[in-house]
Amino acid sequence: MAAHGQQEHPQHEQPGDGGGAPAIRPGRPYTREVHHEPEPDTAAHRGIAGLSAVLTREHAYRGGHLTRPAFVSLAILTFITFVGNFTQLQLSAALPTLVDDFGISVTLGQWMTSIFQLTMGVMVPLTAYLTRRFSTRQIVITSMVVFTVGSVLAWLSPTFPLALFGRFLEAAGTGVMWPVLQITVFSIFPLDRRGMAMGVVGMAMAVAPAIGPTLGGLQTDMNGWRSIFLTLTVIGCISIVLAACGLHNFGASDKTAHADFFSVGLSIIGFGALMFGFTNIQAYPLAAPVVWLPMVVGVAGIIWFVLRQIHSEQRFKAGNASRPALLDLSVLRNAHFSVGTLIASLSFFAFSSLVVLIPLYIQNCRGYTATISGLVMLPGAIAQAIAQFFGGRALDRFGARPVAMAGTMLLCLGTVMMSMIGMHTWIWYISICQFIRQIGMGFVMMPVTTWSLNCLRPAEVSAGSAVTNTVRQIAGAIGSPVMILTMYSIAAAQMSSGRTEIAANIIGIEWALRISAIINFVMILLVVFGVKGEDAGSTRDAVRRALRREKDGKAVSA
């Protein structure tokens, strides 16, 4: 895949500088005339047999646009990654119905969403190993087979544990897809085109929240929640066919690469036990062993995991070990990358809880159907898709700081407005608030992530992508149970003082939203004080400055 130490593409050189590629015309869309301009010699990549040949950067991006094989492959990768995002969110509107069918608590039922994020967070660190050890086609086709098997299990499951296991397989199948797509984009596109490219890809990813909950609600009301997994089974089969017939390989594979599976086990035990302890707080007192013991084991496992990664990477860089750490945490020494990762993680933490809380408010507290729940969330998700696209373009033109500032302020404003809901709030007021919030998310997530990865050296992009995706997925997985427990704790206190269950739950949701607004305000402060320096300005200007410094250095040497 991407990060195998490749240097930046020589697209930045001017025609008179002796560069082998033409200069990029400012403002030119990266897919312009992709099917009409002359392509490089791709004889080795033609036909089904040619799909196994490695598609190098020179064969993928030329003359300021994608070649045909790269365009098709990137479209397939984007679609399959979209399937993962779609799957993650489609069940949110159906969660109240699923809880009733299995006769379980909401805290237990939310594992159907949390286990998806947690599993994806655990799978992401394996991306660096998988992209070294296996080809792109092997990774993608195997992932979609696992995803399809999980969808079949969840569709036909007679019990909640089996449905949960099917959900786990779905997450395991799609967990590596976003990092693979992200690394591919960074390997293909030059620095001053990454914002635009990630904006286009991110727009496709943001469409998933638009149709996922809405279609999930419609399917639940019409045919029950199991029909969701039937649909995902069909989509999984289509994805396998597309990958087998149209996806090319990116980057060479190394059959001798090995992974630290002991670290994988530590991450599963650490984060899984911590979440299990949080989940039990609603049913048991804090002093109960079933609560504090898993939390202690989880914290110990996480600390051991972090220390092992630091030690393994130090030994690898010193030449005393043959394989790198599962997760190269040394990239966190880059202050800009750390700030960007923290902002993205807080976004996921605050946002993931609303995916569960808002459907609970609409369906359980207000009595509306799952379809209405999905329709209420639809405008905001469409707004996020559009904002994601323009956020990427704005990043190339203005830099990360102004874009992220606008995004975090909108996110905070929408959350504060949503925290004012009550027993008789106009239901479409929720939609308006979510519309504002998700515009903010579109201007925060992709621009900040792209900026933070741009701050790393090309050889560090793979490790940086794994770290930032792991941290934010785990933050999202933890955010949902923490906010739900906060909501139920406040609701229980309100019911003990004489309020009805519905009124108490609404007050609990209000306070969970207020905590989310505080987190959004912290994000504003992080942007103000942390997103700064040359890299926070226009990326195009940063490239020009870097090229100017390189040219001046050569002149001095001469």
Side-chain angles (χ1 to χ4, degrees), residues 422-447:
M423 183 77 72
H424 305 290
T425 301
W426 183 42
I427 195 64
W428 296 107
Y429 173 81
I430 304 293
S431 188
I432 295 171
C433 297
Q434 189 69 354
F435 184 86
I436 297 173
R437 290 188 79 257
Q438 294 198 243
I439 288 178
M441 281 291 292
F443 280 120
V444 171
M445 283 303 306
M446 199 60 64

Short mmCIF file of all heavy atoms in Angstrom, two decimals, residues 422-447:
data_model
loop_
_atom_site.label_atom_id
_atom_site.label_comp_id
_atom_site.label_asym_id
_atom_site.label_seq_id
_atom_site.Cartn_x
_atom_site.Cartn_y
_atom_site.Cartn_z
N GLY A 422 -37.09 18.95 25.25
CA GLY A 422 -37.96 18.65 26.39
C GLY A 422 -39.05 17.67 26.00
O GLY A 422 -38.99 17.01 24.96
N MET A 423 -40.09 17.61 26.84
CA MET A 423 -41.16 16.64 26.65
C MET A 423 -41.99 16.94 25.40
O MET A 423 -42.49 16.02 24.74
CB MET A 423 -42.07 16.64 27.88
CG MET A 423 -43.19 15.63 27.83
SD MET A 423 -42.64 13.96 28.20
CE MET A 423 -42.34 14.11 29.96
N HIS A 424 -42.10 18.22 25.05
CA HIS A 424 -42.99 18.60 23.94
C HIS A 424 -42.24 19.33 22.83
O HIS A 424 -42.84 20.11 22.08
CB HIS A 424 -44.13 19.47 24.47
CG HIS A 424 -44.90 18.83 25.58
ND1 HIS A 424 -45.73 17.75 25.38
CD2 HIS A 424 -44.94 19.11 26.92
CE1 HIS A 424 -46.27 17.39 26.53
NE2 HIS A 424 -45.81 18.19 27.49
N THR A 425 -40.96 19.13 22.73
CA THR A 425 -40.17 19.79 21.69
C THR A 425 -40.63 19.35 20.30
O THR A 425 -40.89 18.16 20.08
CB THR A 425 -38.67 19.46 21.87
OG1 THR A 425 -38.24 19.89 23.16
CG2 THR A 425 -37.82 20.16 20.81
N TRP A 426 -40.73 20.33 19.40
CA TRP A 426 -41.05 20.01 18.00
C TRP A 426 -40.01 19.04 17.48
O TRP A 426 -38.81 19.28 17.55
CB TRP A 426 -41.05 21.30 17.19
CG TRP A 426 -41.43 21.13 15.74
CD1 TRP A 426 -42.42 20.36 15.23
CD2 TRP A 426 -40.81 21.78 14.62
NE1 TRP A 426 -42.47 20.46 13.86
CE2 TRP A 426 -41.49 21.34 13.46
CE3 TRP A 426 -39.77 22.69 14.48
CZ2 TRP A 426 -41.15 21.78 12.19
CZ3 TRP A 426 -39.42 23.13 13.21
CH2 TRP A 426 -40.11 22.67 12.09
N ILE A 427 -40.46 17.90 16.94
CA ILE A 427 -39.54 16.82 16.60
C ILE A 427 -38.53 17.24 15.53
O ILE A 427 -37.38 16.79 15.53
CB ILE A 427 -40.34 15.56 16.15
CG1 ILE A 427 -39.43 14.32 16.16
CG2 ILE A 427 -40.95 15.78 14.78
CD1 ILE A 427 -38.94 13.94 17.52
N TRP A 428 -38.91 18.16 14.64
CA TRP A 428 -38.00 18.57 13.58
C TRP A 428 -36.98 19.60 14.07
O TRP A 428 -36.03 19.92 13.35
CB TRP A 428 -38.78 19.08 12.38
CG TRP A 428 -39.62 17.99 11.78
CD1 TRP A 428 -40.97 17.87 11.86
CD2 TRP A 428 -39.15 16.82 11.09
NE1 TRP A 428 -41.38 16.71 11.24
CE2 TRP A 428 -40.29 16.05 10.77
CE3 TRP A 428 -37.90 16.36 10.71
CZ2 TRP A 428 -40.19 14.84 10.08
CZ3 TRP A 428 -37.81 15.16 10.04
CH2 TRP A 428 -38.94 14.42 9.73
N TYR A 429 -37.18 20.07 15.31
CA TYR A 429 -36.15 20.90 15.92
C TYR A 429 -34.88 20.06 16.13
O TYR A 429 -33.76 20.57 15.99
CB TYR A 429 -36.65 21.46 17.26
CG TYR A 429 -35.62 22.19 18.08
CD1 TYR A 429 -35.31 23.52 17.80
CD2 TYR A 429 -34.97 21.58 19.14
CE1 TYR A 429 -34.37 24.21 18.55
CE2 TYR A 429 -34.02 22.25 19.90
CZ TYR A 429 -33.73 23.57 19.60
OH TYR A 429 -32.79 24.24 20.35
N ILE A 430 -35.07 18.78 16.47
CA ILE A 430 -33.93 17.87 16.60
C ILE A 430 -33.18 17.78 15.27
O ILE A 430 -31.95 17.77 15.23
CB ILE A 430 -34.41 16.46 17.02
CG1 ILE A 430 -35.22 16.53 18.31
CG2 ILE A 430 -33.24 15.51 17.17
CD1 ILE A 430 -34.42 16.94 19.50
N SER A 431 -33.95 17.73 14.19
CA SER A 431 -33.33 17.63 12.87
C SER A 431 -32.51 18.87 12.54
O SER A 431 -31.41 18.78 11.98
CB SER A 431 -34.42 17.42 11.80
OG SER A 431 -33.85 17.14 10.55
N ILE A 432 -33.03 20.04 12.91
CA ILE A 432 -32.31 21.30 12.67
C ILE A 432 -30.99 21.32 13.46
O ILE A 432 -29.93 21.68 12.94
CB ILE A 432 -33.19 22.51 13.04
CG1 ILE A 432 -34.39 22.58 12.11
CG2 ILE A 432 -32.38 23.81 12.99
CD1 ILE A 432 -35.43 23.61 12.53
N CYS A 433 -31.07 20.93 14.73
CA CYS A 433 -29.86 20.89 15.56
C CYS A 433 -28.83 19.91 15.01
O CYS A 433 -27.63 20.21 14.96
CB CYS A 433 -30.23 20.52 17.00
SG CYS A 433 -31.30 21.70 17.84
N GLN A 434 -29.32 18.74 14.61
CA GLN A 434 -28.40 17.74 14.06
C GLN A 434 -27.81 18.20 12.74
O GLN A 434 -26.66 17.89 12.42
CB GLN A 434 -29.14 16.41 13.89
CG GLN A 434 -28.26 15.23 13.55
CD GLN A 434 -27.35 14.80 14.69
OE1 GLN A 434 -27.28 15.45 15.73
NE2 GLN A 434 -26.63 13.71 14.51
N PHE A 435 -28.59 18.96 11.97
CA PHE A 435 -28.11 19.54 10.72
C PHE A 435 -26.90 20.44 10.99
O PHE A 435 -25.86 20.35 10.31
CB PHE A 435 -29.24 20.33 10.06
CG PHE A 435 -28.89 20.91 8.72
CD1 PHE A 435 -29.04 20.15 7.57
CD2 PHE A 435 -28.42 22.21 8.61
CE1 PHE A 435 -28.73 20.68 6.33
CE2 PHE A 435 -28.10 22.75 7.37
CZ PHE A 435 -28.25 21.98 6.23
N ILE A 436 -27.01 21.31 11.99
CA ILE A 436 -25.91 22.21 12.34
C ILE A 436 -24.71 21.42 12.86
O ILE A 436 -23.56 21.69 12.49
CB ILE A 436 -26.38 23.23 13.40
CG1 ILE A 436 -27.49 24.12 12.81
CG2 ILE A 436 -25.21 24.09 13.89
CD1 ILE A 436 -28.13 25.04 13.83
N ARG A 437 -24.99 20.43 13.70
CA ARG A 437 -23.90 19.64 14.28
C ARG A 437 -23.10 18.92 13.19
O ARG A 437 -21.88 18.88 13.23
CB ARG A 437 -24.45 18.59 15.26
CG ARG A 437 -25.02 19.15 16.53
CD ARG A 437 -25.36 18.06 17.52
NE ARG A 437 -24.16 17.59 18.21
CZ ARG A 437 -23.52 16.47 17.93
NH1 ARG A 437 -23.97 15.69 16.97
NH2 ARG A 437 -22.45 16.14 18.60
N GLN A 438 -23.79 18.33 12.24
CA GLN A 438 -23.09 17.51 11.26
C GLN A 438 -22.40 18.34 10.18
O GLN A 438 -21.45 17.87 9.56
CB GLN A 438 -24.05 16.47 10.66
CG GLN A 438 -24.49 15.46 11.70
CD GLN A 438 -25.07 14.20 11.10
OE1 GLN A 438 -26.23 13.90 11.32
NE2 GLN A 438 -24.29 13.44 10.37
N ILE A 439 -22.85 19.57 9.97
CA ILE A 439 -22.04 20.48 9.15
C ILE A 439 -20.71 20.70 9.84
O ILE A 439 -19.63 20.68 9.23
CB ILE A 439 -22.78 21.81 8.91
CG1 ILE A 439 -23.94 21.62 7.95
CG2 ILE A 439 -21.81 22.86 8.34
CD1 ILE A 439 -24.73 22.88 7.70
N GLY A 440 -20.78 20.92 11.17
CA GLY A 440 -19.55 21.08 11.94
C GLY A 440 -18.65 19.86 11.86
O GLY A 440 -17.43 19.97 11.70
N MET A 441 -19.25 18.66 11.96
CA MET A 441 -18.46 17.43 11.87
C MET A 441 -17.75 17.32 10.52
O MET A 441 -16.60 16.88 10.42
CB MET A 441 -19.36 16.22 12.09
CG MET A 441 -19.70 15.94 13.53
SD MET A 441 -18.30 15.38 14.51
CE MET A 441 -17.98 13.77 13.79
N GLY A 442 -18.45 17.73 9.46
CA GLY A 442 -17.86 17.68 8.13
C GLY A 442 -16.66 18.58 7.98
O GLY A 442 -15.70 18.26 7.25
N PHE A 443 -16.67 19.72 8.69
CA PHE A 443 -15.55 20.66 8.63
C PHE A 443 -14.46 20.34 9.64
O PHE A 443 -13.43 21.02 9.65
CB PHE A 443 -16.04 22.08 8.86
CG PHE A 443 -16.67 22.72 7.66
CD1 PHE A 443 -17.98 23.16 7.69
CD2 PHE A 443 -15.95 22.89 6.49
CE1 PHE A 443 -18.57 23.74 6.58
CE2 PHE A 443 -16.53 23.47 5.37
CZ PHE A 443 -17.84 23.89 5.41
N VAL A 444 -14.68 19.35 10.49
CA VAL A 444 -13.68 19.00 11.51
C VAL A 444 -12.94 17.72 11.15
O VAL A 444 -11.71 17.69 11.05
CB VAL A 444 -14.33 18.86 12.90
CG1 VAL A 444 -13.31 18.30 13.90
CG2 VAL A 444 -14.83 20.20 13.39
N MET A 445 -13.68 16.63 10.95
CA MET A 445 -13.07 15.30 10.90
C MET A 445 -12.03 15.15 9.78
O MET A 445 -10.86 14.89 10.06
CB MET A 445 -14.17 14.24 10.74
CG MET A 445 -14.92 13.94 12.02
SD MET A 445 -13.82 13.40 13.35
CE MET A 445 -12.99 12.06 12.55
N MET A 446 -12.46 15.29 8.53
CA MET A 446 -11.54 15.00 7.44
C MET A 446 -10.43 16.05 7.32
O MET A 446 -9.26 15.69 7.16
CB MET A 446 -12.32 14.90 6.12
CG MET A 446 -11.56 14.18 5.03
SD MET A 446 -11.15 12.47 5.49
CE MET A 446 -12.79 11.78 5.64
N PRO A 447 -10.72 17.36 7.41
CA PRO A 447 -9.63 18.34 7.33
C PRO A 447 -8.59 18.18 8.43
O PRO A 447 -7.38 18.23 8.16
CB PRO A 447 -10.35 19.69 7.42
CG PRO A 447 -11.72 19.42 6.90
CD PRO A 447 -12.04 18.03 7.37
#
